[in-house]
Amino acid sequence: MVLKLMLASMAAFAARAVPVVAALPQSKNFVAGAAGEMEMKPSPIEPSWILAGAPVARLAEHSRGQDDAALTALWDCTAGEFRWHFGWDETVMILEGEVHITTEDGVERLLCAGDVAYFAGGTWAMWRIDRYVRKVAFCRKPFPKPLTMAYRLRNLVRQGGAQGIAA
């Protein structure tokens, strides 16, 4: 039964959707380049998410994992205020400018150049950009819950019960 659950989870994991961005050629084991030389392409914010202003966002994909479960990209945006849905787990590092973040649970934070933040997949946050922000985003598609539970169970067994398996 556990094996069937794990196989079903792996099949669901393999079939999940990925963000729509231009993919780099596959089979690259190493990708490097200057951020300033990457081609930024329009990446419009969903109009219904915009709360104020007319923010213009752009994206440049740097690299993508061969399994399409990880993505690294540069993203920038002009002034505006909008809600943002994180479809993937996302860790960001602000490269330039700043952004005021308000999470679903009311946490407020100003992120400036050099700051690093994590947003869990499936969550919303409000972004207020007064002038401009540029970030690098490290995105990872979350595993399906059954597969996550299987990994936690494996770790629990390996560590002799030292960690819990709660989701």
Side-chain angles (χ1 to χ4, degrees):
M1 178 67 175
V2 173
L3 182 59
K4 286 183 182 178
L5 183 60
M6 288 177 60
L7 289 174
S9 296
M10 286 188 267
F13 179 72
R16 72 191 175 297
V18 296
V20 179
V21 290
L24 293 175
Q26 291 186 358
S27 76
K28 290 204 173 210
N29 295 324
F30 176 75
V31 180
E37 295 176 5
M38 295 175 64
E39 181 183 356
M40 301 296 288
K41 297 180 180 178
S43 182
I45 297 168
E46 165 61 40
S48 65
W49 297 356
I50 298 173
L51 303 172
V56 175
R58 300 181 307 162
L59 178 81
E61 183 174 317
H62 173 268
S63 54
R64 179 181 293 266
Q66 291 181 4
D67 62 358
D68 280 336
L71 170 75
T72 302
L74 291 179
W75 182 88
D76 70 0
C77 189
T78 60
E81 187 173 348
F82 50 90
R83 292 191 54 194
W84 189 264
H85 181 261
F86 292 88
W88 293 34
D89 289 342
E90 184 172 328
T91 300
V92 303
M93 180 173 197
I94 305 300
L95 300 175
E96 183 181 344
E98 60 186 37
V99 57
H100 299 265
I101 301 290
T102 304
T103 64
E104 289 176 300
D105 54 2
V107 173
E108 295 182 28
R109 177 73 192 257
L110 174 65
L111 299 177
C112 302
D115 289 344
V116 177
Y118 167 79
F119 299 90
T123 63
W124 287 88
M126 188 185 68
W127 286 57
R128 190 185 90 221
I129 302 166
D130 294 330
R131 286 182 281 287
Y132 173 81
V133 71
R134 181 176 174 95
K135 70 177 182 176
V136 61
F138 306 96
C139 304
R140 182 187 66 85
K141 186 70 173 173
F143 287 119
K145 288 281 186 195
L147 191 54
T148 300
M149 292 299 291
Y151 278 128
R152 289 181 178 171
L153 181 59
R154 180 201 65 185
N155 291 342
L156 181 67
V157 169
R158 284 183 176 173
Q159 297 173 3
Q163 287 185 317
I165 59 171

